Amino acid sequence: MLLTLVASAAAGTWDLEHSVALSWFPKGLRYTFGAEYQVAAPWVNPESVLFESALFGAGPYVELTPAYARTGGRLHFVPIAVLDITAEALASGYFGTFSGITDFDAPDADFSEAAFEEPEVIARNHAGFGFRYGVSPTLQAKVSKFIIALPQEFTRFTMIVPEGATGDYWYEPQYDALMKWDDTVMLNGALAFWAFKEKSDEDPRMFFLGARFDHQYVFGTGDRQVKVGPMVVWKPAKSAAVPVLVFFAQAWIESPIHEELPPYLAGAAIW
């Protein structure tokens, strides 16, 4: 087994991906870059639908927004076609700009966009540092042109309380949620698509139309958010310079600060 892994590593390949994402309600902007060295698993079988893409992967990951930056490493494991697992360990630095690290005294405090315009909330904005560890298993399946994926995420935040912060809770801008300084967030997702146009080795163009459901829960504060709505995945041209475009709009079914409408709007360009 060890010799097989060594031989696979020698024949591995690099997979690079970067994306630019923009969201509205709440507003957000994010750039990510990941580099992953992939090797085939010893049990890979090109003649089997379940095992033709079994692999191990690892590499660096970088995320940058106006409020924070993260960097660290990721491990990727696909033991079988219907299961994809990613684990990560990232260091996060918050700039003290925009929401930065803003501390709050109560788990039910108002952390809406309007609240962040209040002087007493602005005064509690700090620069700071912390760590994020997580695992994200995804179950996925395809039947004819119908595709379904069930991404799950369990992420632990361990924050260093910044000097001057007096509250027991803080606002995390990526998850748009209040957390304890040491806390865990769980995400449960469900995506279902109809593939009107699937990519191939000869033609990378694609067009998927479907829906996305997201449930988010923070264990330390009880903060729960649920949203659902339509989603589009589209690569309009064969050129590698043209990204895969992702758009979705979700109504807020449950949220401590958002009404059902206007919806959460998001789009991303992925290369």
Side-chain angles (χ1 to χ4, degrees):
M1 177 68 75
L2 178 59
L3 292 176
T4 303
L5 287 173
V6 171
S8 297
T13 59
W14 280 99
D15 181 60
L16 307 179
E17 180 180 288
H18 61 107
S19 68
V20 178
L22 177 69
S23 66
W24 201 262
F25 304 118
K27 294 187 288 289
L29 178 66
R30 182 171 61 158
Y31 169 77
T32 65
F33 171 77
E36 181 176 290
Y37 190 73
Q38 298 178 345
V39 299
W43 56 89
V44 69
N45 183 353
E47 299 179 359
S48 169
V49 174
L50 288 178
F51 299 104
E52 64 180 348
S53 58
L55 62 83
F56 295 95
Y61 176 79
V62 176
E63 182 177 332
L64 181 64
T65 79
Y68 65 84
R70 306 193 207 279
T71 185
R74 283 184 164 182
L75 299 176
H76 185 201
F77 179 39
V78 183
I80 192 171
V82 296
L83 179 61
D84 189 301
I85 304 170
T86 300
E88 65 178 17
L90 306 174
S92 302
Y94 295 80
F95 305 138
T97 55
F98 298 93
S99 55
I101 296 181
T102 303
D103 65 301
F104 290 86
D105 295 322
D108 59 351
D110 179 12
F111 57 94
S112 64
E113 290 191 34
F116 277 95
E117 297 177 359
E118 298 295 329
E120 59 269 24
V121 175
I122 295 174
R124 305 184 78 157
N125 187 297
H126 311 277
F129 189 77
F131 299 91
R132 193 180 94 174
Y133 316 92
V135 60
S136 303
T138 298
L139 290 171
Q140 53 197 10
K142 180 178 182 294
V143 179
S144 183
K145 292 185 177 294
F146 181 69
I147 301 169
I148 187 168
L150 303 173
Q152 314 299 305
E153 180 184 324
F154 302 89
T155 298
R156 179 72 179 178
F157 281 85
T158 301
M159 299 298 298
I160 298 171
V161 181
E163 184 177 354
T166 58
D168 293 327
Y169 307 91
W170 68 292
Y171 173 76
E172 209 299 312
Q174 178 181 352
Y175 294 86
D176 188 31
L178 284 191
M179 301 183 182
K180 289 185 175 180
W181 296 108
D182 291 288
D183 213 335
T184 300
V185 60
M186 174 182 70
L187 280 75
N188 314 111
L191 295 84
F193 298 103
W194 186 264
F196 289 92
K197 172 71 175 70
E198 298 184 71
K199 69 178 181 178
S200 65
D201 293 337
E202 297 77 22
D203 186 353
R205 291 177 298 175
M206 59 191 296
F207 182 74
F208 295 176
L209 179 62
R212 173 171 178 157
F213 167 87
D214 289 293
H215 167 265
Q216 175 179 295
Y217 182 75
V218 181
F219 287 92
T221 60
D223 182 300
R224 186 187 306 276
Q225 301 185 32
V226 181
K227 54 188 188 289
V228 64
M231 182 173 181
V232 175
V233 180
W234 180 37
K235 181 172 173 60
K238 293 183 179 181
S239 171
V242 177
V244 175
L245 302 174
V246 179
F247 304 100
F248 54 95
Q250 296 173 295
W252 295 92
I253 306 304
E254 183 176 349
S255 170
I257 59 170
H258 297 288
E259 300 293 333
E260 182 173 311
L261 297 174
Y264 174 73
L265 302 174
I270 304 170
W271 288 267

